[in-house]
Amino acid sequence: GFTFCKDRFSRLFSFGSKILCSSLLVALFLDIRGIFIGKTGTPSDLAFFDRGKLFPTTFVGTIGTVIQSVLLPVFSEHQDDSVALKQMVRQGIRRAMFLIVPILLILIGVGRPFIGFLLTEKWLPAVFFLNCFAITYLFHPPQYIAVEAIKAKGLSSQILYIEILRKVVEFVTLIAAIPFGCRAIALTAVLSGAVSLAIMFPFNKRYLGYTHTEQLCDIFSIVLPGCIMLACLLFCDAKIVDFPGKWVALGATGVIVYMAIMLLFRNSVANEIMQICKRYLRTRHTC
């Protein structure tokens, strides 16, 4: 029959309520910059801001939602094995960043011709905001993957504490930027994203055994090749005359250059992808 366990209910309620509070904080601050720009700027400023934010948010939001929905149950199976959990976190960060970093940096590289083609040249001021949020979202994968791991260990108090620290930083920088205009408000997203990532470092070390050096190595092993690829795209964009499909050509070039650099650096994720492709081609050839 049905049995009510007060002790289990108390633990679950304590855990769930703190996770709910942290989620409410995230939701509360989700569009706060748009609100401030709407109050302090012009309608056109808000339109450019919203349109520039749309593309990186759509790409990363979709991928992030899928990844987060999978991670918690997987991490929970290893919540008592710190070594295995840390390895899973590192692998998850490498794979997520391998996918997300080139998307965001290619978006920056093709931003001007992409916005010009899709929305016409009158929307080109939105490119600045697109770049801001593309850079901001580079900081997100290591954060939400580590948060899911800490959550899997049942440390809901720490999750809430982390979120409060993040939002305090975000709010203070936002208030400080208001006198300097809409672009400064958008730039606070980049600053708060970088600070939020730094806030995670000691929590990751304490609760996951994930040292600062390991975190920096995992992040920069993906970001550095991505930045080299972005430099190539910006150079090509400056040297090649505009034509309707320029953003497509630049995007394809970015993917090829990125994969070539990652293979040259012997990146483990790139090697995995190449092995999968080789096995698929062998299977097709056999058939």
Side-chain angles (χ1 to χ4, degrees):
F2 177 78
T3 304
F4 178 77
C5 180
K6 185 178 178 180
D7 184 53
R8 288 187 179 181
F9 173 80
S10 298
R11 290 203 303 270
L12 287 172
F13 181 80
S14 176
F15 177 84
S17 60
K18 289 164 187 171
I19 297 299
L20 175 62
C21 288
S22 64
S23 300
L24 289 174
L25 274 174
V26 172
L28 183 64
F29 278 76
L30 196 60
D31 291 315
I32 193 168
R33 287 180 182 81
I35 293 170
F36 276 91
I37 288 176
K39 290 292 184 181
T40 59
T42 64
S44 59
D45 290 331
L46 181 59
F48 293 137
F49 173 84
D50 285 339
R51 193 60 64 183
K53 182 183 176 183
L54 173 66
F55 298 106
T57 302
T58 301
F59 285 127
V60 177
T62 303
I63 296 170
T65 301
V66 172
I67 292 174
Q68 284 179 289
S69 65
V70 172
L71 287 179
L72 183 58
V74 173
F75 287 163
S76 296
E77 293 177 2
H78 302 273
Q79 59 182 293
D80 298 321
D81 186 347
S82 298
V83 175
L85 184 60
K86 173 188 166 182
Q87 289 303 115
M88 292 176 70
V89 169
R90 294 191 70 180
Q91 191 176 56
I93 288 173
R94 292 192 202 110
R95 289 178 175 177
M97 292 196 72
F98 185 90
L99 177 63
I100 291 173
V101 166
I103 291 174
L104 293 172
L105 293 181
I106 287 172
L107 199 56
I108 293 173
V110 306
R112 188 189 60 82
F114 176 66
I115 293 291
F117 173 81
L118 199 65
L119 303 175
T120 70
E121 292 193 358
K122 70 179 182 179
W123 286 94
L124 286 181
V127 173
F128 175 84
F129 300 107
L130 182 151
N131 293 343
C132 282
F133 282 97
I135 295 170
T136 299
Y137 289 130
L138 290 175
F139 302 113
H140 280 212
Q143 294 183 61
Y144 63 65
I145 290 173
V147 163
E148 292 302 312
I150 294 172
K151 193 187 297 182
K153 291 177 74 72
L155 302 170
S156 58
S157 297
Q158 282 70 27
I159 298 297
L160 180 57
Y161 183 54
I162 289 167
E163 207 56 59
I164 290 171
L165 286 176
R166 286 174 175 172
K167 297 317 174 191
V168 168
V169 170
E170 192 167 353
F171 187 72
V172 170
T173 55
L174 183 56
I175 294 298
I178 288 174
F180 300 99
C182 300
R183 291 196 167 199
I185 291 174
L187 285 171
T188 62
V190 179
L191 178 60
S192 63
V195 174
S196 294
L197 180 60
I199 287 171
M200 287 298 304
F201 274 34
F203 288 92
N204 292 343
K205 183 178 180 181
R206 180 173 180 180
Y207 297 110
L208 303 175
Y210 193 8
T211 68
H212 297 353
T213 302
E214 289 171 331
Q215 293 176 66
L216 288 171
C217 286
D218 288 343
I219 292 167
F220 281 104
S221 66
I222 306 294
V223 172
L224 182 59
C227 288
I228 296 171
M229 177 269 293
L230 175 59
C232 294
L233 288 189
L234 294 175
F235 177 80
C236 292
D237 183 33
K239 294 297 181 181
I240 300 173
V241 296
D242 290 343
F243 61 94
K246 183 179 179 180
W247 64 277
V248 178
L250 287 173
T253 301
V255 172
I256 294 168
V257 170
Y258 178 75
M259 279 301 296
I261 295 171
M262 295 306 268
L263 289 170
L264 185 65
F265 283 16
R266 297 183 179 180
N267 178 270
S268 59
V269 182
N271 288 332
E272 284 178 24
I273 293 172
M274 288 302 297
Q275 291 302 319
I276 291 169
C277 291
K278 287 177 181 178
R279 285 197 297 270
Y280 174 76
L281 290 173
R282 281 198 296 267
T283 302
R284 293 281 294 179
H285 181 70
T286 305
C287 294

